[in-house]
Amino acid sequence: MKIAALFLVSLALLAQHVQDEDKKKRNPAIGNPQAIAEGEKMFNSGCAGCHGPGGQGGRGPNLAFGRVMWHTLTDEQTFQLIRDGVPNAGMPPSSMPEEKLWQLAAYVKSLREPAAEAPLQGNADLGKEIFWGKGRCQGCHSIRGSGGKLGPDLSNVGGTRPAGYIRMAIVEPGSQGSKGFEKASITLKAGKKLDGVIKNRNNYSLQLLDAKGDLHLLLVKDIAAMEIAKDSMMPALGKALSSEELDGLVAYLGKQTVRPVELGRN
Ligand code: HEC
Ligand code: HEC
């Protein structure tokens, strides 16, 4: 019985392996960092006019992760859609050679794929060192229970965010929206001034989490003035990092996932 079960498992693994190999042969651009970079260049010149820089949306729909996808396309469907366009909806067909179309499809896929499932070039060990060391990221972010609470928990950031999103969040804090982490300056009627991130706000009260991690429960009737900043609480630390260090951070964060990646594949 046990042997039969083992045999079945290894058969399934073998089938999966053959399938993966098969896929690679058919569209070698998918998941290949160089092909993705080529696709990005073509996208910027031929597609960004409608889909926005980085696929963030414009005249054409947003192609990047960050909004809910109503339907996701398979690699083949993405390829076909780019080739054939959607003429009656305003997306023109493309007469590029197959190889180029696959590079575009690989780039479009990389915009939506969780970082944990994407091939990342950076040195994750270097990134780990920076995260817990000179980057001071751990002052505001926690991973699996260690670290600060001012910023979002990053334990599953690789399982829920594409690599491009993680990179943008580091280089241009707040560019992805600060929902749930609005930075505020509050002056109390008693004269005291407090800075921090607003949590659990309602008509009568709110909680302000300050940089030290202390949570202040404030009653709206005690507040004299409240200023909500447009910029992010997160400093633009990414600007002080070399590109190697930045790639490393993206690779390290991209690996942060709370479930085994294999189970998440489809
Ligand atoms: C003239 C504007 C325009 C240009 C140029 C354009 N698109 Fe589109 N694209 C659209 C519109 C509009 C849609 C939505 C079609 C629909 O409603 O089904 C779309 C849809 C898509 C979709 C499907 C989105 C989804 O998830 O359903 C992909 C992928 C896509 N475009 C990729 C590209 C790529 C790659 C290029 C460059 C080769 C490109 N587009 C050039 C306008 C454009
Ligand atoms: C002073 C606090 C603070 C520090 C230090 C900080 N962050 Fe942030 N971070 C935030 C806040 C707050 C957000 C929420 C979004 C926003 O407001 O930009 C955020 C968002 C993020 C996100 C996006 C998470 C998501 O799922 O949307 C990533 C990734 C990130 N930070 C990485 C880093 C890295 C890497 C460092 C170190 C180089 C760092 N942060 C340092 C406060 C901080």
Side-chain angles (χ1 to χ4, degrees):
M1 187 62 212
K2 215 172 191 175
I3 288 169
L6 266 178
F7 180 66
L8 276 178
V9 167
S10 54
L11 256 185
L13 283 175
L14 189 69
Q16 179 68 42
H17 183 71
V18 168
Q19 229 177 30
D20 286 349
E21 285 300 303
D22 211 39
K23 255 193 214 154
K24 261 189 227 140
K25 247 181 258 149
R26 260 183 301 146
N27 24 319
I30 298 293
N32 172 340
Q34 265 143 14
I36 292 172
E38 283 304 310
E40 180 172 12
K41 274 190 230 150
M42 285 186 280
F43 188 90
N44 287 336
S45 55
C47 323
C50 282
H51 290 286
Q56 300 279 332
R59 244 173 87 198
N62 182 349
L63 303 178
F65 190 92
R67 64 166 195 144
V68 176
M69 299 299 306
W70 292 105
H71 56 111
T72 47
L73 304 168
T74 64
D75 299 343
E76 277 76 15
Q77 285 169 330
T78 306
F79 172 89
Q80 283 160 12
L81 192 140
I82 298 170
R83 184 189 59 197
D84 303 338
V86 192
N88 55 10
M91 160 111 177
S94 175
S95 55
M96 276 185 244
E98 272 208 11
E99 188 197 355
K100 304 255 171 229
L101 288 171
W102 274 120
Q103 290 171 345
L104 275 165
Y107 173 65
V108 167
K109 179 170 186 171
S110 77
L111 291 173
R112 307 170 163 187
E113 186 177 45
E117 293 179 29
L120 300 178
Q121 284 171 308
N123 177 346
D125 290 334
L126 175 64
K128 183 176 181 181
E129 220 176 282
I130 291 166
F131 187 89
W132 300 101
K134 76 168 188 186
R136 286 177 297 144
C137 318
Q138 96 290 353
C140 291
H141 294 287
S142 52
I143 291 179
R144 293 176 183 264
S146 335
K149 299 232 169 338
L150 201 59
D153 184 300
L154 299 180
S155 307
N156 197 24
V157 71
T160 55
R161 306 296 197 191
Y165 177 108
I166 296 176
R167 181 178 298 269
M168 280 303 287
I170 300 172
V171 178
E172 273 179 52
S175 58
Q176 315 290 338
S178 293
K179 205 163 178 287
F181 295 91
E182 285 89 359
K183 174 179 159 188
S185 258
I186 292 180
T187 312
L188 297 178
K189 285 181 181 158
K192 195 170 174 196
K193 253 193 101 169
L194 294 164
D195 292 298
V197 165
I198 294 185
K199 301 278 170 196
N200 307 322
R201 181 178 174 181
N202 64 36
N203 285 341
Y204 308 102
S205 68
L206 58 86
Q207 287 171 313
L208 192 77
L209 184 63
D210 71 18
K212 278 191 258 147
D214 292 334
L215 197 60
H216 304 266
L217 175 64
L218 305 174
L219 297 178
V220 169
K221 68 179 176 56
D222 295 334
I223 294 176
M226 177 158 87
E227 223 180 290
I228 305 215
K230 286 231 166 56
D231 59 333
S232 165
M233 192 80 196
M234 174 164 155
L237 297 161
K239 296 213 161 70
L241 300 171
S242 71
S243 62
E244 199 193 349
E245 292 173 325
L246 184 61
D247 286 350
L249 263 179
V250 174
Y252 172 61
L253 292 178
K255 280 168 71 166
Q256 303 309 316
T257 158
V258 298
R259 50 173 191 162
V261 170
E262 283 72 20
L263 295 178
R265 280 189 190 279
N266 50 26

